[in-house]
Amino acid sequence: MNILITGSARGLGFETVKAALALGHTVFAGVRDMERHTEPLRALRAVHPDRLTLIAMDVTDEESVKSAKSAVLEHTDVLDALINNAGVLIGREHKLEELDFADMERSMLANLYGPMKAVKHFLPLLRRSAQPCILNISSEAGSFTGAYGGDYPYAISKSGLNYFTAQLRKELTPQNFAVYALHPGWIRTPMGGDQAPGDPADTAQGLLRIVERTVIPDPNAWMVNHRGEAMPF
């Protein structure tokens, strides 16, 4: 499969790149800043030069997303999966009375508008796949049942991403797309912190089973965890 993964330099994105390569897939690793945190990816590319391509892709900048599409088209005109992993978690220490709307805007740009831009520009390539898949890495923090007082920028932007995923499912599942919002759990990443109980490598392997359709969630489930189990909305 040809798989594009955004936010690939660290954390879950990097673990998913590693897992996909181990499974024999061809990976396009979207990276916001090619000068920072890319050493592990470059080491992987040295081992898999024919199956790993690093792509400059800042999902907050539509021109960067368009350029990333052009870069992918230099190698293939078919994508089998888009994993929208890039995101930010900022402003979480602020109570509502202290909320900085610059944090809200940055969060919406990265966590909601970024995946929307990626789908907009890569959908034509996905339509050429026999079994296309879109996974939007989200969070139970963006569900109504998981709502809590805090993390307003993150939670509200992920809530928007969940709704966007529901819209995509309505449009694309009749066209044989697999589309899910995926809650990765609390995992040990730069975002999740060292105290998190979950292993990002386990999450990466689980979400790839969904991409490969070796695990098929309940057809009525559109938000799932990395094991393909339905999450409450």
Side-chain angles (χ1 to χ4, degrees):
M1 300 177 76
N2 294 332
I3 303 175
L4 171 62
I5 304 166
T6 70
S8 290
R10 298 190 295 170
L12 178 59
F14 178 70
E15 292 296 334
T16 306
V17 171
K18 283 201 303 182
L21 290 170
L23 289 167
H25 299 304
T26 296
V27 180
F28 298 94
V31 177
R32 182 177 64 85
D33 186 346
M34 297 291 278
E35 303 302 320
R36 300 181 64 214
H37 310 300
T38 57
E39 293 84 357
L41 278 175
R42 295 181 191 278
L44 274 180
R45 186 175 61 182
V47 178
H48 305 281
D50 297 327
R51 292 195 291 113
L52 176 58
T53 302
L54 274 59
I55 302 290
M57 185 175 176
D58 180 353
V59 300
T60 68
D61 180 351
E62 188 167 7
E63 288 302 315
S64 177
V65 176
K66 289 169 65 175
S67 295
K69 177 185 176 182
S70 297
V72 171
L73 284 171
E74 292 179 6
H75 300 270
T76 182
D77 64 353
V78 179
L79 273 184
D80 298 294
L82 168 63
I83 301 175
N84 280 311
N85 170 72
V88 297
L89 173 57
I90 54 176
R92 64 180 325 189
E93 71 280 6
H94 294 155
K95 297 180 180 179
L96 182 58
E97 299 93 325
E98 304 163 344
L99 185 62
D100 185 342
F101 273 86
D103 290 340
M104 285 294 305
E105 291 170 4
R106 285 180 57 199
S107 298
M108 296 297 282
L109 277 171
N111 297 347
L112 174 57
Y113 303 155
M116 292 180 72
K117 292 168 188 171
V119 174
K120 171 185 174 181
H121 290 285
F122 285 98
L123 190 56
L125 282 69
L126 289 160
R127 290 191 187 279
R128 297 190 178 105
S129 171
Q131 289 190 316
C133 178
I134 298 172
L135 286 187
N136 293 326
I137 305 303
S138 188
S139 172
E140 63 181 356
S143 69
F144 282 90
T145 55
Y148 56 93
D151 286 340
Y152 293 98
Y154 182 76
I156 291 173
S157 61
K158 290 299 188 180
S159 179
L161 180 61
N162 290 344
Y163 188 82
F164 175 57
T165 304
Q167 290 182 300
L168 287 176
R169 281 182 60 80
K170 286 289 187 180
E171 178 181 357
L172 297 176
T173 52
Q175 302 169 36
N176 201 35
F177 274 73
V179 182
Y180 299 101
L182 188 136
H183 171 62
W186 185 18
I187 54 178
R188 292 184 296 276
T189 65
M191 183 180 290
D194 294 335
Q195 302 303 311
D199 184 347
D202 291 340
T203 297
Q205 293 166 14
L207 68 86
L208 285 167
R209 285 190 282 270
I210 296 171
V211 167
E212 294 175 327
R213 305 198 188 195
T214 56
V215 168
I216 300 178
D218 184 301
N220 295 317
W222 58 269
M223 184 175 180
V224 300
N225 62 22
H226 69 282
R227 293 180 292 273
E229 299 165 342
M231 296 287 295
F233 182 68

